Amino acid sequence: MDETVERSKKPKSVRGGGAALALAVALLMSALTIPAAAVDISSVQTLIPVGHTVGIKLFSRGVLVVKLADGETPAKACGLAAGDVIVQCAGSTVTSTEQFQSLLQDAAGESAKLEVHRGSKTLDLSVTPNDSDGDGKYAIGAWIRDSMAGIGTMTFYDPNSNTFGALGHGVTDVDTAALMPFSAGSILPSTVKMVKRGETGAAGELKGDFDLTGDTGNLYANTSGGVFGTLTDQELIERFSKNPLPVAENDQVHDGKATILANVDGDEVKEYEIQITKILNTDAAGRNLLITVTDPELLEKTGGIVQGMSGSPILQDGRLVGAVTHVLLGDPTRGYGILIRNMLKNS
């Protein structure tokens, strides 16, 4: 199972004849700061491993089509598919689910041109919204999403560039498994309130509170190797600007004893023992390492690896070597990690 952030944003319905789902966390849509430009940290020699959970909110570029409604609908007729990203409608840039619905309403049954991204392809489609319920509300018969929010773990902080990386994998849509098309995002202070232990066949998770009083950092990228951004909160900058470690090269990582830094209780980050049981590959971002949790305290607390621990830094031989990314559903004591150099290449 992909160890992505815990999703708390439901898709909006723009389906003919259906009422829109209520937004679970509408408050997260406010006060978004445009992120700073990306910084090249792929060749850094030292980084500060963090291991603290953070709240993550991410806003998509355009709106993501989550699924199509049953039956004959305008969305199906024009060729839309789940996983498509609608970036323009009727000549206007699409910025949110609500704005897209407004553009469809403005079309009032007339054909509207859509610019759609499907993977690396750009498609020009034409859709004619209908009023299938006869209530004056025009729709196309699709479920769409424009944002996500949840908890993940910050892997590292670089005081020289004020840059951080988290998760060790990208934020993907829960319904389509597609990488969420990135527009902007930020991180929030987070405290772990409880743990749902992992069990065979069921992933556990960290549950915590977001502090919605203010962002503490801006995201600039959502990639297959993690999410990346810059810190803006001076207290966090001072807290994380301690104890740098050398960054391991891929060929310095080996089977054997290692540790992870994880925040599974309150505000405390602790070091726990693991084994790197196998180096699977070193070529690209993904499942580079097979790991096993061996620390009795962590096993008692979480059962192993749980959702929310994605991004927990992996340390070996006094170096930062990688980050936790996935858990094995058949055995929550085991999971996968990404090599830190592969993570940095995606920053």
Side-chain angles (χ1 to χ4, degrees), residues 83-112:
D84 286 349
V85 181
I86 303 171
V87 296
Q88 283 196 7
C89 176
S92 297
T93 299
V94 175
T95 59
S96 69
T97 56
E98 291 81 6
Q99 181 247 13
F100 179 60
Q101 290 172 312
S102 178
L103 292 172
L104 295 180
Q105 188 69 19
D106 291 343
E110 300 295 327
S111 178

Side-chain angles (χ1 to χ4, degrees), residues 52-225:
H52 201 288
T53 58
V54 290
I56 297 174
K57 56 182 179 181
L58 187 149
F59 297 79
S60 70
R61 181 185 68 255
V63 294
L64 179 69
V65 178
V66 174
K67 65 178 180 179
L68 304 183
D70 296 334
E72 295 300 320
T73 64
K76 287 181 180 177
C78 80
L80 277 172
D84 286 349
V85 181
I86 303 171
V87 296
Q88 283 196 7
C89 176
S92 297
T93 299
V94 175
T95 59
S96 69
T97 56
E98 291 81 6
Q99 181 247 13
F100 179 60
Q101 290 172 312
S102 178
L103 292 172
L104 295 180
Q105 188 69 19
D106 291 343
E110 300 295 327
S111 178
K113 292 187 179 299
L114 302 179
E115 181 180 323
V116 176
H117 292 174
R118 182 175 294 169
S120 60
K121 298 180 180 179
T122 298
L123 307 177
D124 293 317
L125 305 178
S126 293
V127 67
T128 304
N130 63 20
D131 177 15
S132 60
D133 286 348
D135 57 4
K137 297 180 180 179
Y138 288 86
I140 62 173
W143 296 85
I144 59 176
R145 179 179 284 122
D146 63 9
S147 60
M148 288 184 177
I151 292 176
T153 297
M154 186 181 293
T155 306
F156 66 81
Y157 173 63
D158 178 19
N160 294 319
S161 62
N162 197 35
T163 302
F164 66 84
L167 296 184
H169 59 69
V171 177
T172 57
D173 181 74
V174 67
D175 295 293
T176 66
L179 192 69
M180 197 73 174
F182 180 79
S183 173
S186 56
I187 60 169
L188 309 161
S190 172
T191 301
V192 177
K193 295 298 185 182
M194 65 168 291
V195 178
K196 177 184 175 183
R197 294 182 79 256
E199 299 178 356
T200 301
E205 63 178 317
L206 303 179
K207 294 182 179 290
D209 290 339
F210 293 176
D211 181 355
L212 296 174
T213 59
D215 299 338
T216 56
N218 299 321
L219 298 180
Y220 59 70
N222 176 35
T223 77
S224 60

Side-chain angles (χ1 to χ4, degrees), residues 1 3 196-205 302-303 305-307 327-333:
M1 177 177 178
E3 273 283 304
K196 177 184 175 183
R197 294 182 79 256
E199 299 178 356
T200 301
E205 63 178 317
T302 66
I305 300 167
V306 298
Q307 295 184 65
V327 61
L328 291 177
L329 276 180
D331 181 358
T333 68

Side-chain angles (χ1 to χ4, degrees), residues 283-303:
D283 296 333
R287 304 179 185 189
N288 303 140
L289 308 173
L290 183 62
I291 62 175
T292 300
V293 175
T294 57
D295 195 288
E297 182 181 351
L298 187 58
L299 290 171
E300 175 66 24
K301 184 74 175 179
T302 66

